[in-house]
Amino acid sequence: MSKEKIFIGAIDQGTTSTRFIIYDQKARPIGSHQVEFTQFYPEAGYAQSCGWSMIRLRYWRVCMAKALDKAKADGHNVDGGLKAIGLTNQRETTSITGNQQHP
């Protein structure tokens, strides 16, 4: 009986990009993908991005699919799926909804 391979994923929603990394049982990265997005700087010390764009364009989904493709291309059998996915997001970030103007 073969031992089941276990993979864990991590979504990193950062200030300038979204990234997804897949780790094997020994915490080695076996596949990843990153998508950068546009930042706006309305004044010194402030960074702004369009949250609606991140949701609408589903950067996390693109990153997950491409990271899985890369892991498979490198010979990793991730077809059984990931056993868990962790999420890290931007700290000190707020999202404003409503009728605001988006850059």
Coordinates of all heavy atoms in Angstrom, one line a residue:
M1 N 0.8 -1.2 0.0 CA 0.0 0.0 0.0 C 0.9 1.2 0.0 O 1.8 1.4 0.8 CB -0.9 -0.1 1.2 CG -1.8 1.1 1.4 SD -2.7 0.9 2.9 CE -4.3 1.5 2.3
S2 N 0.7 2.1 -0.9 CA 1.5 3.3 -1.0 C 1.0 4.4 -0.1 O -0.1 4.5 0.2 CB 1.5 3.9 -2.5 OG 0.2 4.4 -2.8
K3 N 2.0 5.1 0.5 CA 1.7 6.2 1.4 C 1.2 7.4 0.7 O 1.7 7.8 -0.3 CB 3.0 6.5 2.1 CG 2.8 7.5 3.3 CD 4.1 7.8 4.0 CE 3.9 8.8 5.0 NZ 5.2 9.1 5.7
E4 N 0.1 7.9 1.2 CA -0.5 9.1 0.6 C 0.4 10.3 0.7 O 0.9 10.6 1.8 CB -1.9 9.4 1.3 CG -2.6 10.6 0.7 CD -3.9 10.9 1.4 OE1 -4.0 10.5 2.6 OE2 -4.8 11.5 0.8
K5 N 0.5 11.1 -0.4 CA 1.3 12.3 -0.4 C 0.4 13.4 0.2 O -0.8 13.5 -0.2 CB 1.8 12.6 -1.8 CG 2.7 11.6 -2.3 CD 4.0 12.1 -2.5 CE 4.9 11.0 -3.1 NZ 6.2 11.4 -3.3
I6 N 0.9 14.2 1.0 CA 0.2 15.3 1.6 C 0.8 16.6 1.1 O 2.0 16.8 1.2 CB 0.2 15.3 3.1 CG1 -0.6 14.0 3.6 CG2 -0.5 16.5 3.7 CD1 -0.5 13.7 5.0
F7 N 0.0 17.5 0.7 CA 0.4 18.9 0.2 C -0.4 19.9 0.9 O -1.6 19.8 1.2 CB 0.3 19.0 -1.3 CG 1.1 18.0 -2.0 CD1 0.5 16.9 -2.5 CD2 2.4 18.2 -2.3 CE1 1.2 15.9 -3.2 CE2 3.2 17.2 -3.0 CZ 2.5 16.1 -3.5
I8 N 0.3 21.0 1.2 CA -0.3 22.2 1.9 C -0.1 23.4 1.0 O 0.9 23.5 0.4 CB 0.3 22.4 3.3 CG1 0.3 21.2 4.2 CG2 -0.3 23.6 4.0 CD1 -1.1 20.8 4.7
G9 N -1.1 24.3 0.9 CA -1.0 25.5 0.2 C -1.0 26.7 1.0 O -1.5 26.7 2.2
A10 N -0.5 27.8 0.5 CA -0.5 29.1 1.2 C -0.8 30.2 0.2 O -0.1 30.3 -0.8 CB 0.9 29.4 1.9
I11 N -1.8 31.0 0.6 CA -2.1 32.2 -0.2 C -1.6 33.4 0.5 O -1.9 33.6 1.7 CB -3.7 32.4 -0.4 CG1 -4.3 31.2 -1.1 CG2 -4.0 33.7 -1.1 CD1 -5.8 31.2 -1.1
D12 N -0.7 34.1 -0.2 CA -0.2 35.3 0.4 C -0.7 36.5 -0.3 O -0.3 36.8 -1.5 CB 1.4 35.3 0.3 CG 2.0 36.6 0.8 OD1 1.4 37.4 1.5 OD2 3.2 36.8 0.5
Q13 N -1.7 37.2 0.3 CA -2.2 38.4 -0.3 C -1.5 39.6 0.2 O -1.7 40.1 1.3 CB -3.7 38.6 0.0 CG -4.4 39.8 -0.6 CD -4.3 39.8 -2.1 OE1 -4.9 39.0 -2.8 NE2 -3.6 40.8 -2.6
G14 N -0.5 40.1 -0.5 CA 0.4 41.1 -0.1 C 0.0 42.5 -0.6 O -1.0 42.7 -1.2
T15 N 0.9 43.4 -0.3 CA 0.6 44.8 -0.7 C 0.8 45.0 -2.2 O 0.0 45.8 -2.8 CB 1.7 45.7 0.0 OG1 1.6 45.5 1.4 CG2 1.4 47.2 -0.2
T16 N 1.7 44.3 -2.8 CA 1.9 44.5 -4.2 C 1.5 43.3 -5.1 O 1.6 43.4 -6.3 CB 3.3 44.9 -4.5 OG1 4.2 43.8 -4.1 CG2 3.7 46.2 -3.8
S17 N 1.2 42.1 -4.5 CA 1.0 40.9 -5.3 C 0.2 39.9 -4.5 O 0.1 40.0 -3.3 CB 2.3 40.3 -5.8 OG 3.0 39.7 -4.7
T18 N -0.3 39.0 -5.3 CA -1.0 37.8 -4.7 C -0.1 36.6 -5.1 O 0.4 36.5 -6.2 CB -2.4 37.5 -5.3 OG1 -3.2 38.7 -4.9 CG2 -3.0 36.3 -4.7
R19 N 0.2 35.7 -4.2 CA 1.1 34.6 -4.4 C 0.4 33.3 -3.8 O -0.2 33.4 -2.8 CB 2.4 34.8 -3.8 CG 3.4 33.7 -3.9 CD 4.7 34.1 -3.1 NE 4.9 35.5 -3.1 CZ 6.1 36.1 -3.0 NH1 7.1 35.4 -2.8 NH2 6.2 37.4 -3.0
F20 N 0.7 32.2 -4.5 CA 0.2 30.9 -4.0 C 1.4 29.9 -4.0 O 2.1 29.8 -5.0 CB -0.9 30.3 -4.7 CG -1.5 29.0 -4.1 CD1 -2.2 29.1 -3.0 CD2 -1.2 27.8 -4.7 CE1 -2.7 27.9 -2.4 CE2 -1.8 26.6 -4.2 CZ -2.5 26.7 -3.0
I21 N 1.7 29.3 -2.9 CA 2.8 28.3 -2.8 C 2.3 27.0 -2.3 O 1.5 26.9 -1.4 CB 3.9 28.9 -1.8 CG1 4.3 30.3 -2.2 CG2 5.1 27.9 -1.8 CD1 5.1 31.0 -1.1
I22 N 2.8 25.9 -2.9 CA 2.4 24.6 -2.5 C 3.7 24.0 -1.8 O 4.8 24.0 -2.4 CB 2.0 23.7 -3.7 CG1 0.8 24.3 -4.4 CG2 1.7 22.3 -3.2 CD1 0.5 23.7 -5.8
Y23 N 3.4 23.3 -0.7 CA 4.5 22.7 0.1 C 4.3 21.2 0.2 O 3.1 20.8 0.3 CB 4.6 23.3 1.5 CG 5.0 24.7 1.5 CD1 4.0 25.7 1.6 CD2 6.3 25.2 1.5 CE1 4.3 27.1 1.6 CE2 6.6 26.5 1.5 CZ 5.6 27.5 1.6 OH 5.9 28.8 1.6
D24 N 5.4 20.5 0.2 CA 5.2 19.0 0.4 C 5.3 18.7 1.9 O 5.3 19.6 2.7 CB 6.3 18.3 -0.4 CG 7.7 18.4 0.1 OD1 7.9 19.0 1.2 OD2 8.7 18.0 -0.6
Q25 N 5.4 17.4 2.2 CA 5.3 16.9 3.6 C 6.5 17.4 4.4 O 6.4 17.4 5.6 CB 5.2 15.4 3.6 CG 3.9 14.9 3.1 CD 3.9 13.4 3.0 OE1 4.5 12.8 2.1 NE2 3.3 12.7 4.0
K26 N 7.6 17.7 3.7 CA 8.8 18.2 4.4 C 8.9 19.7 4.4 O 10.0 20.3 4.6 CB 10.0 17.5 3.9 CG 10.0 16.0 4.1 CD 11.3 15.4 3.6 CE 11.2 13.9 3.9 NZ 12.4 13.2 3.5
A27 N 7.8 20.4 4.1 CA 7.7 21.9 4.0 C 8.6 22.5 2.9 O 9.1 23.6 3.1 CB 8.0 22.5 5.4
R28 N 8.9 21.7 1.9 CA 9.6 22.2 0.7 C 8.6 22.8 -0.3 O 7.7 22.1 -0.6 CB 10.5 21.1 0.1 CG 11.5 20.6 1.0 CD 12.3 19.4 0.3 NE 11.3 18.3 0.1 CZ 11.7 17.1 0.1 NH1 12.9 16.7 0.3 NH2 10.7 16.1 -0.1
P29 N 8.9 24.0 -0.8 CA 8.0 24.5 -1.9 C 8.2 23.7 -3.1 O 9.3 23.4 -3.6 CB 8.5 25.9 -2.1 CG 9.8 26.0 -1.5 CD 10.0 24.9 -0.5
I30 N 7.1 23.2 -3.7 CA 7.1 22.4 -4.9 C 6.5 23.1 -6.1 O 6.5 22.6 -7.2 CB 6.5 21.0 -4.7 CG1 5.0 21.2 -4.4 CG2 7.3 20.2 -3.7 CD1 4.2 19.9 -4.6
G31 N 5.8 24.2 -5.9 CA 5.1 25.0 -7.0 C 4.7 26.3 -6.4 O 4.2 26.4 -5.3
S32 N 4.8 27.3 -7.2 CA 4.3 28.6 -6.8 C 4.0 29.5 -8.0 O 4.5 29.2 -9.1 CB 5.3 29.3 -5.9 OG 6.5 29.7 -6.6
H33 N 3.2 30.5 -7.8 CA 2.9 31.5 -8.9 C 2.6 32.8 -8.2 O 1.9 32.8 -7.1 CB 1.8 31.0 -9.8 CG 1.6 31.9 -11.0 ND1 2.5 31.9 -12.0 CD2 0.7 32.9 -11.3 CE1 2.1 32.8 -12.9 NE2 1.1 33.4 -12.5
Q34 N 2.9 33.9 -8.8 CA 2.7 35.2 -8.2 C 2.2 36.1 -9.3 O 2.6 36.1 -10.5 CB 4.0 35.8 -7.7 CG 3.9 37.1 -7.1 CD 5.2 37.6 -6.5 OE1 6.2 36.9 -6.6 NE2 5.3 38.8 -6.0
V35 N 1.2 37.0 -8.9 CA 0.6 38.0 -9.8 C 0.7 39.3 -9.1 O 0.2 39.5 -8.0 CB -0.8 37.7 -10.2 CG1 -1.4 38.8 -11.0 CG2 -1.0 36.4 -10.9
E36 N 1.4 40.2 -9.8 CA 1.5 41.6 -9.2 C 0.4 42.4 -9.7 O -0.2 42.2 -10.7 CB 2.8 42.2 -9.7 CG 4.1 41.6 -9.1 CD 5.4 42.3 -9.4 OE1 5.3 43.4 -10.0 OE2 6.4 41.8 -9.0
F37 N 0.0 43.4 -8.9 CA -1.1 44.3 -9.3 C -0.7 45.7 -9.1 O 0.3 46.0 -8.4 CB -2.4 44.0 -8.5 CG -2.3 43.7 -7.1 CD1 -2.2 44.8 -6.2 CD2 -2.2 42.5 -6.6 CE1 -2.1 44.6 -4.8 CE2 -2.1 42.2 -5.2 CZ -2.1 43.3 -4.3
T38 N -1.4 46.6 -9.7 CA -1.1 48.0 -9.7 C -1.3 48.7 -8.4 O -2.3 48.4 -7.7 CB -1.9 48.8 -10.8 OG1 -1.7 48.1 -12.1 CG2 -1.5 50.2 -10.9
Q39 N -0.3 49.5 -8.0 CA -0.4 50.2 -6.8 C -0.5 51.7 -7.1 O 0.0 52.2 -8.1 CB 0.8 50.1 -5.9 CG 0.9 48.7 -5.3 CD -0.1 48.4 -4.3 OE1 -0.2 49.2 -3.3 NE2 -0.9 47.4 -4.5
F40 N -1.3 52.5 -6.3 CA -1.4 53.9 -6.5 C -0.8 54.5 -5.2 O -1.0 54.0 -4.1 CB -2.8 54.3 -6.7 CG -3.4 53.6 -7.9 CD1 -4.2 52.4 -7.7 CD2 -3.3 54.1 -9.2 CE1 -4.7 51.7 -8.7 CE2 -3.9 53.4 -10.2 CZ -4.6 52.2 -10.0
Y41 N -0.2 55.6 -5.3 CA 0.4 56.3 -4.2 C -0.1 57.7 -4.1 O 0.4 58.7 -4.6 CB 2.0 56.3 -4.3 CG 2.5 54.9 -4.5 CD1 2.7 54.3 -5.7 CD2 2.7 54.1 -3.3 CE1 3.2 53.0 -5.8 CE2 3.2 52.8 -3.4 CZ 3.4 52.3 -4.7 OH 3.9 51.0 -4.8
P42 N -1.3 57.9 -3.4 CA -1.9 59.2 -3.3 C -1.1 60.2 -2.5 O -1.3 61.4 -2.8 CB -3.2 58.9 -2.6 CG -3.0 57.6 -1.8 CD -2.0 56.9 -2.6
E43 N -0.3 59.8 -1.6 CA 0.6 60.7 -0.9 C 1.7 59.9 -0.3 O 1.7 58.7 -0.2 CB -0.1 61.5 0.2 CG -0.8 60.7 1.2 CD -1.6 61.5 2.2 OE1 -1.1 62.0 3.2 OE2 -2.8 61.7 1.9
A44 N 2.7 60.6 0.2 CA 3.9 59.9 0.8 C 3.5 59.0 1.9 O 2.7 59.4 2.8 CB 4.9 60.9 1.3
G45 N 4.0 57.8 1.9 CA 3.7 56.8 3.0 C 2.4 56.0 2.8 O 2.0 55.2 3.6
Y46 N 1.6 56.3 1.8 CA 0.3 55.7 1.5 C 0.4 54.8 0.2 O 0.9 55.3 -0.8 CB -0.8 56.7 1.4 CG -1.2 57.3 2.7 CD1 -0.5 58.3 3.3 CD2 -2.4 56.8 3.4 CE1 -0.9 58.8 4.5 CE2 -2.8 57.4 4.6 CZ -2.0 58.4 5.1 OH -2.4 58.9 6.3
A47 N -0.1 53.6 0.3 CA -0.2 52.8 -0.9 C -1.7 52.4 -1.1 O -2.3 52.1 -0.1 CB 0.7 51.6 -0.8
Q48 N -2.1 52.4 -2.3 CA -3.6 52.1 -2.5 C -3.7 51.1 -3.7 O -3.0 51.3 -4.7 CB -4.2 53.4 -2.8 CG -5.7 53.4 -2.7 CD -6.2 54.8 -2.9 OE1 -5.9 55.5 -3.9 NE2 -7.0 55.3 -2.0
S49 N -4.5 50.1 -3.5 CA -4.8 49.3 -4.7 C -6.4 49.1 -4.7 O -7.1 49.4 -3.8 CB -4.2 47.9 -4.5 OG -4.5 47.3 -3.3
C50 N -6.8 48.6 -5.8 CA -8.3 48.5 -6.0 C -8.7 47.1 -5.6 O -8.5 46.1 -6.3 CB -8.6 48.7 -7.5 SG -10.4 48.6 -7.8
G51 N -9.3 47.0 -4.4 CA -9.8 45.7 -3.9 C -10.8 45.0 -4.8 O -10.8 43.8 -5.0
W52 N -11.6 45.8 -5.5 CA -12.6 45.2 -6.4 C -11.9 44.5 -7.6 O -12.3 43.5 -8.0 CB -13.5 46.3 -7.0 CG -14.5 46.9 -5.9 CD1 -14.5 48.1 -5.4 CD2 -15.5 46.1 -5.2 NE1 -15.5 48.2 -4.5 CE2 -16.1 47.0 -4.3 CE3 -15.9 44.8 -5.3 CZ2 -17.1 46.7 -3.5 CZ3 -17.0 44.4 -4.4 CH2 -17.6 45.4 -3.6
S53 N -10.8 45.1 -8.0 CA -10.0 44.4 -9.1 C -9.5 43.1 -8.6 O -9.5 42.1 -9.4 CB -8.8 45.3 -9.6 OG -9.3 46.5 -10.2
M54 N -9.0 43.1 -7.4 CA -8.4 41.8 -6.9 C -9.5 40.7 -6.8 O -9.3 39.6 -7.1 CB -7.8 42.0 -5.5 CG -6.5 42.8 -5.6 SD -5.7 42.9 -4.0 CE -6.2 44.5 -3.5
I55 N -10.7 41.1 -6.4 CA -11.8 40.2 -6.3 C -12.3 39.8 -7.7 O -12.4 38.6 -8.0 CB -13.0 40.8 -5.5 CG1 -12.5 41.0 -4.0 CG2 -14.2 39.9 -5.6 CD1 -13.4 41.8 -3.2
R56 N -12.5 40.8 -8.5 CA -13.1 40.5 -9.8 C -12.1 39.7 -10.7 O -12.5 38.8 -11.4 CB -13.3 41.8 -10.5 CG -14.0 41.7 -11.9 CD -14.4 43.1 -12.5 NE -13.2 43.8 -12.9 CZ -12.7 44.9 -12.3 NH1 -13.3 45.4 -11.3 NH2 -11.6 45.4 -12.8
L57 N -10.8 40.0 -10.6 CA -9.9 39.3 -11.5 C -9.4 37.9 -10.9 O -8.7 37.2 -11.5 CB -8.7 40.2 -11.8 CG -9.0 41.4 -12.5 CD1 -7.8 42.3 -12.6 CD2 -9.5 41.1 -13.9
R58 N -9.8 37.7 -9.6 CA -9.5 36.4 -8.9 C -8.0 36.0 -9.0 O -7.7 34.9 -9.4 CB -10.4 35.3 -9.5 CG -11.9 35.5 -9.3 CD -12.7 34.3 -9.8 NE -14.1 34.6 -9.5 CZ -15.0 34.7 -10.4 NH1 -14.7 34.5 -11.7 NH2 -16.3 34.9 -10.1
Y59 N -7.2 36.9 -8.6 CA -5.7 36.6 -8.7 C -5.4 35.4 -7.9 O -4.6 34.6 -8.3 CB -5.0 37.8 -8.0 CG -5.0 39.1 -8.8 CD1 -5.3 40.3 -8.1 CD2 -4.9 39.1 -10.2 CE1 -5.3 41.5 -8.8 CE2 -5.0 40.3 -10.9 CZ -5.2 41.5 -10.2 OH -5.2 42.7 -10.9
W60 N -6.1 35.1 -6.8 CA -5.8 33.9 -6.0 C -6.1 32.7 -6.8 O -5.3 31.7 -6.7 CB -6.6 33.9 -4.7 CG -8.1 34.1 -4.9 CD1 -8.8 35.2 -5.0 CD2 -9.0 33.0 -5.1 NE1 -10.1 35.0 -5.2 CE2 -10.3 33.6 -5.3 CE3 -8.9 31.6 -5.1 CZ2 -11.4 32.9 -5.5 CZ3 -10.1 30.9 -5.3 CH2 -11.3 31.5 -5.5
R61 N -7.1 32.7 -7.6 CA -7.5 31.5 -8.4 C -6.5 31.2 -9.5 O -6.1 30.1 -9.7 CB -8.9 31.7 -8.9 CG -9.4 30.4 -9.7 CD -10.8 30.6 -10.1 NE -11.6 30.2 -9.0 CZ -13.0 30.2 -9.1 NH1 -13.6 30.5 -10.1 NH2 -13.7 29.8 -8.0
V62 N -6.0 32.3 -10.1 CA -5.0 32.2 -11.2 C -3.7 31.6 -10.6 O -3.1 30.7 -11.1 CB -4.8 33.6 -11.8 CG1 -3.5 33.5 -12.7 CG2 -6.0 34.0 -12.6
C63 N -3.3 32.2 -9.4 CA -2.1 31.7 -8.8 C -2.2 30.2 -8.4 O -1.2 29.5 -8.6 CB -1.8 32.6 -7.6 SG -1.3 34.3 -8.0
M64 N -3.3 29.8 -7.8 CA -3.5 28.4 -7.4 C -3.4 27.5 -8.7 O -2.7 26.5 -8.6 CB -4.8 28.2 -6.7 CG -4.9 28.9 -5.4 SD -6.5 28.7 -4.6 CE -6.4 27.0 -4.0
A65 N -4.1 27.8 -9.7 CA -4.1 27.0 -10.9 C -2.7 26.9 -11.5 O -2.2 25.8 -11.8 CB -5.1 27.5 -12.0
K66 N -2.0 28.0 -11.6 CA -0.6 27.9 -12.2 C 0.4 27.2 -11.3 O 1.2 26.5 -11.8 CB -0.2 29.4 -12.6 CG -1.1 30.0 -13.6 CD -0.3 30.7 -14.6 CE -1.3 31.4 -15.6 NZ -0.9 31.2 -16.9
A67 N 0.2 27.4 -10.0 CA 1.1 26.7 -9.1 C 0.9 25.2 -9.2 O 1.9 24.4 -9.2 CB 1.0 27.2 -7.7
L68 N -0.3 24.8 -9.2 CA -0.7 23.3 -9.4 C -0.1 22.8 -10.7 O 0.5 21.7 -10.7 CB -2.2 23.1 -9.3 CG -2.8 23.2 -7.9 CD1 -4.3 23.3 -8.0 CD2 -2.3 22.0 -7.1
D69 N -0.2 23.6 -11.8 CA 0.3 23.2 -13.1 C 1.8 23.0 -13.0 O 2.4 22.0 -13.5 CB 0.0 24.2 -14.2 CG -1.5 24.2 -14.6 OD1 -2.2 23.2 -14.2 OD2 -1.9 25.1 -15.2
K70 N 2.5 23.9 -12.3 CA 4.0 23.9 -12.2 C 4.4 22.7 -11.4 O 5.3 22.0 -11.7 CB 4.5 25.1 -11.6 CG 4.4 26.3 -12.5 CD 4.9 27.6 -11.8 CE 4.8 28.8 -12.8 NZ 5.1 30.1 -12.1
A71 N 3.7 22.4 -10.3 CA 4.0 21.2 -9.5 C 3.8 19.9 -10.3 O 4.7 19.0 -10.2 CB 3.2 21.2 -8.2
K72 N 2.7 19.8 -11.0 CA 2.5 18.6 -11.8 C 3.6 18.5 -12.9 O 4.1 17.4 -13.2 CB 1.1 18.7 -12.5 CG 0.0 18.5 -11.5 CD -1.4 18.7 -12.2 CE -2.5 18.7 -11.2 NZ -3.8 18.9 -11.9
A73 N 4.0 19.6 -13.5 CA 5.0 19.6 -14.6 C 6.3 19.1 -14.0 O 7.1 18.5 -14.8 CB 5.1 21.0 -15.2
D74 N 6.6 19.4 -12.7 CA 7.8 18.9 -12.1 C 7.7 17.5 -11.5 O 8.6 17.1 -10.8 CB 8.2 19.9 -11.0 CG 8.8 21.2 -11.5 OD1 9.1 21.3 -12.7 OD2 8.8 22.2 -10.8
G75 N 6.6 16.8 -11.8 CA 6.4 15.4 -11.5 C 5.8 15.2 -10.1 O 5.8 14.0 -9.6
H76 N 5.2 16.1 -9.5 CA 4.6 16.0 -8.2 C 3.1 15.6 -8.5 O 2.4 16.2 -9.2 CB 4.6 17.2 -7.4 CG 6.0 17.6 -7.0 ND1 6.8 17.0 -6.1 CD2 6.8 18.6 -7.6 CE1 8.0 17.6 -6.0 NE2 8.0 18.5 -6.9
N77 N 2.7 14.5 -7.8 CA 1.3 14.0 -8.0 C 0.4 14.8 -7.0 O 0.1 14.3 -5.9 CB 1.2 12.5 -7.8 CG -0.1 12.0 -8.0 OD1 -1.0 12.7 -8.5 ND2 -0.3 10.7 -7.7
V78 N -0.1 15.9 -7.4 CA -0.9 16.7 -6.5 C -2.4 16.6 -6.8 O -3.3 17.3 -6.3 CB -0.6 18.2 -6.5 CG1 0.8 18.5 -5.9 CG2 -0.6 18.8 -7.9
D79 N -2.7 15.5 -7.7 CA -4.1 15.3 -8.1 C -5.0 15.0 -6.9 O -6.2 15.2 -7.0 CB -4.2 14.2 -9.1 CG -3.6 14.7 -10.5 OD1 -3.7 15.9 -10.8 OD2 -3.1 13.8 -11.2
G80 N -4.5 14.5 -5.8 CA -5.3 14.1 -4.7 C -5.8 15.4 -4.0 O -6.6 15.3 -3.0
G81 N -5.3 16.5 -4.4 CA -5.7 17.8 -3.8 C -4.8 18.2 -2.6 O -4.0 17.4 -2.1
L82 N -5.1 19.4 -2.2 CA -4.4 19.9 -1.0 C -5.1 19.6 0.2 O -6.4 19.6 0.2 CB -4.2 21.4 -1.2 CG -3.5 21.9 -2.4 CD1 -3.7 23.4 -2.6 CD2 -2.1 21.5 -2.4
K83 N -4.4 19.3 1.3 CA -5.1 18.9 2.6 C -5.5 20.1 3.4 O -6.4 20.1 4.2 CB -4.2 18.0 3.4 CG -3.9 16.7 2.7 CD -5.1 15.9 2.4 CE -4.8 14.7 1.6 NZ -6.0 14.0 1.1
A84 N -4.8 21.3 3.1 CA -5.1 22.5 3.9 C -4.6 23.7 3.1 O -3.6 23.5 2.3 CB -4.5 22.5 5.3
I85 N -5.2 24.8 3.3 CA -4.7 26.1 2.7 C -4.6 27.1 3.7 O -5.6 27.4 4.4 CB -5.5 26.5 1.5 CG1 -5.5 25.5 0.4 CG2 -5.1 27.9 1.0 CD1 -6.4 25.8 -0.8
G86 N -3.5 27.8 3.9 CA -3.4 28.9 4.8 C -3.5 30.2 4.1 O -3.2 30.2 2.9
L87 N -3.9 31.2 4.8 CA -4.1 32.5 4.2 C -3.4 33.6 5.0 O -3.6 33.7 6.2 CB -5.6 32.8 4.0 CG -5.9 34.2 3.6 CD1 -5.5 34.5 2.2 CD2 -7.4 34.4 3.7
T88 N -2.6 34.4 4.4 CA -2.0 35.6 5.0 C -2.4 36.8 4.2 O -2.5 36.7 3.0 CB -0.5 35.5 5.1 OG1 0.0 36.7 5.8 CG2 0.2 35.3 3.8
N89 N -2.8 37.8 4.9 CA -3.2 39.0 4.1 C -2.5 40.3 4.6 O -1.7 40.2 5.5 CB -4.7 39.2 4.2 CG -5.2 39.6 5.6 OD1 -4.4 39.4 6.6 ND2 -6.4 40.1 5.7
Q90 N -2.8 41.3 3.9 CA -2.1 42.6 4.3 C -2.6 43.0 5.7 O -3.8 43.1 6.0 CB -2.6 43.7 3.3 CG -2.3 43.4 1.9 CD -2.9 44.4 0.9 OE1 -3.2 45.5 1.3 NE2 -3.1 44.0 -0.3
R91 N -1.6 43.3 6.5 CA -2.0 43.8 7.8 C -2.2 45.3 7.6 O -1.7 45.9 6.7 CB -0.8 43.5 8.8 CG -0.7 42.0 9.0 CD 0.6 41.7 9.7 NE 1.8 42.2 9.2 CZ 2.5 41.7 8.2 NH1 2.0 40.6 7.6 NH2 3.6 42.2 7.7
E92 N -2.9 45.9 8.5 CA -3.1 47.4 8.5 C -3.8 47.8 7.2 O -3.5 48.9 6.7 CB -1.8 48.2 8.7 CG -1.1 47.8 10.0 CD 0.2 48.6 10.2 OE1 0.4 49.6 9.5 OE2 0.9 48.2 11.1
T93 N -4.7 47.0 6.7 CA -5.4 47.3 5.5 C -6.9 47.4 5.7 O -7.4 46.6 6.5 CB -5.1 46.2 4.4 OG1 -3.7 46.2 4.2 CG2 -5.8 46.5 3.1
T94 N -7.5 48.3 5.1 CA -8.9 48.4 5.2 C -9.5 48.4 3.7 O -8.8 48.7 2.8 CB -9.4 49.7 5.9 OG1 -8.9 50.8 5.2 CG2 -9.0 49.7 7.3
S95 N -10.7 48.0 3.6 CA -11.4 48.0 2.3 C -12.6 48.8 2.5 O -13.4 48.6 3.4 CB -11.7 46.6 1.9 OG -12.4 46.6 0.7
I96 N -12.8 49.8 1.6 CA -14.0 50.6 1.6 C -14.9 50.2 0.5 O -14.5 50.0 -0.7 CB -13.5 52.1 1.4 CG1 -12.6 52.5 2.5 CG2 -14.8 53.0 1.4 CD1 -11.9 53.9 2.3
T97 N -16.2 50.1 0.8 CA -17.1 49.7 -0.2 C -18.1 50.8 -0.4 O -18.2 51.7 0.4 CB -17.9 48.4 0.2 OG1 -18.6 48.6 1.4 CG2 -17.0 47.2 0.3
G98 N -18.9 50.8 -1.4 CA -19.9 51.8 -1.7 C -19.7 52.4 -3.0 O -19.2 51.8 -4.0
N99 N -20.0 53.7 -3.1 CA -19.9 54.5 -4.4 C -18.6 55.3 -4.5 O -18.6 56.3 -5.2 CB -21.1 55.4 -4.5 CG -22.4 54.6 -4.6 OD1 -22.4 53.6 -5.2 ND2 -23.4 55.2 -4.0
Q100 N -17.5 54.8 -3.9 CA -16.3 55.5 -4.0 C -15.7 55.4 -5.4 O -16.0 54.4 -6.1 CB -15.2 55.0 -3.0 CG -15.5 55.4 -1.6 CD -16.6 54.6 -0.9 OE1 -16.8 53.5 -1.4 NE2 -17.2 55.1 0.1
Q101 N -15.0 56.4 -5.8 CA -14.2 56.4 -7.1 C -13.1 55.4 -6.9 O -12.4 55.4 -6.0 CB -13.7 57.8 -7.4 CG -14.8 58.8 -7.6 CD -15.3 58.7 -9.0 OE1 -14.6 58.3 -10.0 NE2 -16.6 59.0 -9.2
H102 N -12.9 54.5 -7.9 CA -11.8 53.6 -7.9 C -10.8 54.1 -8.9 O -11.2 54.5 -10.0 CB -12.2 52.2 -8.3 CG -13.2 51.6 -7.2 ND1 -12.8 51.3 -6.0 CD2 -14.5 51.4 -7.3 CE1 -13.8 50.8 -5.3 NE2 -14.9 50.9 -6.1
P103 N -9.5 54.1 -8.6 CA -8.5 54.5 -9.5 C -8.4 53.6 -10.8 O -8.8 52.5 -10.8 CB -7.1 54.3 -8.7 CG -7.5 53.8 -7.4 CD -8.9 53.6 -7.3

